[in-house]
């Protein structure tokens, strides 16, 4: 666990230790609330596939991240926690997209919010490679694939797995997350501080 910015009007935990998730949450909450303390924390997510497929698997993955963080005894029980889980979605026949679900859980205010990032198209041949690489007996196959589209896209585009969104579309994953979290933070602020 590490503090990325200290002091603030609100404190939020991100159920991840990845900067591509933590920094846009910090930036979005500071934009909406003024000051914000945003801390990333490493969590386990083992109940769903490495590459979730479909809304249900994506949401379940994010819920598992929040539950895993809630089981960390050093965290305050009522602290707001945000989880981000990217997943694949097929819209129409063989039209695949990568998008992320963002959940915010705040037991103190009894608030549970959910939003989604914009969708990034994924070539169907990349999805086919991930499907072929997933063993028939993969225990989590009900929720997705054993190979991430990000790893295959990064390999195909010759970039790191965190840069494939930008290499493909010109928009980074960080920016996609930031815009969705900024919207979520605005809704959250209006929910806990009604006008």
């Amino acid at each position: 666990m590490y503090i990325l910015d200290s002091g603030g009007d609100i404190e939020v935990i991100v159920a991840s230790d990845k900067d591509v998730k933590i920094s846009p949450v910090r930036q979005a909450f500071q934009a909406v609330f003024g000051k914000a303390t945003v801390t990333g924390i490493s969590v386990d997510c083992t109940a769903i596939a490495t590459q979730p497929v479909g809304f249900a698997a994506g949401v379940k993955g994010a819920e598992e991240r929040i539950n895993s963080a809630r089981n960390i005894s050093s965290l305050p029980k009522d602290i707001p926690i945000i989880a981000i889980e990217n997943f694949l979605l097929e819209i129409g026949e063989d039209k695949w997209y990568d998008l992320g679900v963002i959940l915010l859980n705040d037991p103190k205010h009894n608030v549970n919010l959910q939003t989604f990032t914009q969708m990034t198209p994924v070539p169907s041949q990349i999805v086919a490679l991930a499907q072929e690489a997933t063993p028939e007996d993969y225990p989590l196959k009900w929720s997705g694939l054993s190979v991430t589209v990000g790893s295959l896209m990064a390999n195909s585009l010759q970039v790191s797995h965190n840069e494939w969104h930008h290499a493909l579309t010109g928009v980074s994953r960080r920016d996609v997350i930031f815009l969705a979290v900024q919207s979520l933070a605005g809704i959250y602020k209006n929910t806990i501080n009604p006008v």
Side-chain angles (χ1 to χ4, degrees):
M1 187 163 84
Y2 49 95
I3 304 285
L4 290 172
D5 196 355
S6 56
D9 301 330
I10 188 163
E11 187 174 356
V12 177
I13 298 293
V14 179
S16 175
D17 58 359
K18 309 251 180 315
D19 188 61
V20 72
K21 294 180 179 180
I22 301 165
S23 67
V25 171
R26 179 181 66 236
Q27 183 184 354
F29 270 79
Q30 287 176 346
V32 170
F33 283 90
K35 294 180 184 158
T37 302
V38 177
T39 308
I41 192 155
S42 178
V43 296
D44 291 326
C45 190
T46 56
I48 64 156
T50 304
Q51 174 62 70
V53 177
F55 282 108
V59 170
K60 183 163 176 52
E63 288 170 346
E64 186 186 357
R65 290 180 185 283
I66 287 173
N67 292 338
S68 181
R70 289 264 172 244
N71 289 329
I72 298 171
S73 60
S74 60
L75 286 183
K77 291 297 168 213
D78 61 352
I79 196 162
I81 297 178
I82 288 183
I84 301 165
E85 185 71 53
N86 274 58
F87 61 96
L88 269 179
L89 189 62
E90 187 178 24
I91 298 183
E93 193 169 328
D94 226 21
K95 288 189 174 36
W96 291 92
Y97 294 87
D98 167 83
L99 70 154
V101 58
I102 302 165
L103 299 183
L104 183 150
N105 170 258
D106 177 356
K108 182 178 178 182
H109 296 98
N110 194 27
V111 173
N112 287 293
L113 298 174
Q114 171 179 299
T115 194
F116 296 91
T117 67
Q118 77 176 41
M119 298 191 287
T120 302
V122 178
S124 58
Q125 60 269 29
I126 293 289
V127 177
L129 286 173
Q131 289 168 332
E132 290 163 16
T134 300
E136 281 302 316
D137 62 350
Y138 180 51
L140 300 172
K141 196 166 185 174
W142 62 270
S143 63
L145 308 169
S146 65
V147 177
T148 66
V149 165
S151 65
L152 296 172
M153 286 298 295
N155 190 37
S156 170
L157 296 167
Q158 301 291 296
V159 295
S160 90
H161 74 280
N162 278 333
E163 295 171 1
W164 76 265
H165 292 82
H166 187 265
L168 182 69
T169 67
V171 179
S172 71
R173 181 171 183 222
R174 187 198 180 286
D175 287 347
V176 167
I177 291 171
F178 167 72
L179 287 173
V181 173
Q182 188 172 24
S183 171
L184 186 80
I187 295 165
Y188 177 59
K189 183 177 184 181
N190 287 323
T191 302
I192 61 172
N193 300 317
V195 180

